[in-house]
Amino acid sequence: MTELQQIAELRALGDETKAAEMAAYHKAPRVYLGVAVPTIDELARTWRADLDVAGRVALASALWDSDIHEARVAASKLLVQARIRPDDEVWRLIASWVPQFDAWAIADHAMKAGERRLLADPDRLDEVETWLDHPVFWVRRAALVGTLPWTRLRNPKPADLARRERVLGWLERLADDRQPFIQKAIGWWLRDLSKHDPQRVTEWLDAHGARLKPFARREAGRWIKKRENPAQPS
């Protein structure tokens, strides 16, 4: 079978030394080419410019199915635009990737595309909520990483505040999950929210913070402590 042209382009830019370093760092058992993310991003922009939505979905699917690290990152990069219409096929493809997550880098790149589709259609949060009970912790984590945009809204509308509260309820559900990556995601979510609504994060931590692992609790309150003591290193 002839190799996909876009994968051949990635291979041509590979670096064996970097590939070995990436394999040791990410640990997930797949092929690594040693291509830096900015280079992948530039390639994906070039490929995306010549494709309609259906073409991007088809290429992203083929790149993902190769199970090459850089190709999966590129697949995600093809789908990160905020405005995609129609986007049902895009969301269905991203959601189909979620149960395959096995490493944070690919998962986070994919959910960067996923969060755009959630913002475009927040009704999809109903589906995302079902991920909270999944036996694979990467899937549970994806529910939190994909909803991070709701921590960053400077002037949230009432509907956005309601969605934010919904996800805070998810954090409460997962607070006793001892998996470190889940704890990190909870701390990350609360830390980002504290930059815009420190009072709400303080309330959440007062009510549920004792259930978190200490490192997650510290991360969640890091910016709050920084406000209280500006001289304290961040």
Side-chain angles (χ1 to χ4, degrees):
M1 180 182 294
T2 302
E3 186 172 63
L4 198 67
Q5 171 193 332
Q6 289 81 0
I7 292 179
E9 291 181 42
L10 286 167
R11 286 191 188 279
L13 295 166
D15 181 303
E16 291 184 4
T17 300
K18 290 181 180 178
E21 293 171 352
M22 290 170 64
Y25 177 71
H26 293 293
K27 298 183 174 62
R30 60 175 45 89
V31 173
Y32 296 83
L33 303 178
V35 183
V37 170
T39 301
I40 299 171
D41 198 21
E42 184 176 343
L43 279 175
R45 283 200 303 271
T46 301
W47 301 337
R48 197 167 61 216
D50 297 326
L51 296 169
D52 59 13
V53 173
R56 279 176 264 165
V57 168
L59 178 56
S61 181
L63 288 168
W64 185 274
D65 289 346
S66 74
D67 199 25
I68 297 170
H69 176 85
E70 286 84 352
R72 287 196 163 187
V73 173
S76 304
K77 295 285 187 181
L78 281 171
L79 305 178
V80 295
Q81 307 97 302
R83 296 178 181 177
I84 302 178
R85 289 291 183 270
D87 74 343
D88 286 345
E89 284 187 73
V90 177
W91 170 247
R92 290 267 48 88
L93 181 60
I94 295 168
S96 76
W97 293 342
V98 172
Q100 302 174 55
F101 289 169
D102 58 3
W104 68 266
I106 288 175
D108 287 1
H109 283 296
M111 288 316 299
K112 182 59 67 173
E115 70 183 33
R116 303 293 179 87
R117 307 284 47 88
L118 291 173
L119 285 171
D121 185 356
D123 286 345
R124 290 170 176 149
L125 291 174
D126 291 343
E127 178 178 354
V128 173
E129 187 165 9
T130 68
W131 301 352
L132 299 176
D133 298 315
H134 199 281
V136 176
F137 73 81
W138 291 111
V139 179
R140 302 195 299 275
R141 179 181 179 274
L144 307 186
V145 175
T147 53
L148 279 167
W150 277 282
T151 69
R152 299 166 183 159
L153 299 174
R154 295 183 180 278
N155 298 293
K157 297 177 181 177
D160 290 315
L161 289 173
R163 292 171 191 128
R164 181 184 286 175
E165 287 300 317
R166 180 179 187 177
V167 181
L168 285 167
W170 298 358
L171 304 189
E172 182 180 345
R173 283 175 61 178
L174 293 177
D176 295 317
D177 191 320
R178 298 294 90 184
Q179 218 297 322
F181 276 101
I182 297 296
Q183 292 285 312
K184 287 179 182 179
I186 293 173
W188 182 7
W189 213 96
L190 292 169
R191 181 201 67 201
D192 281 11
L193 179 57
S194 74
K195 296 175 184 179
H196 302 290
D197 194 347
Q199 181 59 40
R200 185 66 188 93
V201 173
T202 298
E203 292 169 358
W204 194 98
L205 289 171
D206 286 346
H208 311 292
R211 297 164 56 197
L212 299 178
K213 286 191 172 185
F215 76 85
R217 191 164 58 246
R218 286 194 300 271
E219 184 64 15
R222 181 156 63 95
W223 286 105
I224 295 172
K225 291 185 179 298
K226 182 67 176 175
R227 283 189 178 90
E228 294 171 348
N229 183 8
Q232 179 176 309
S234 58

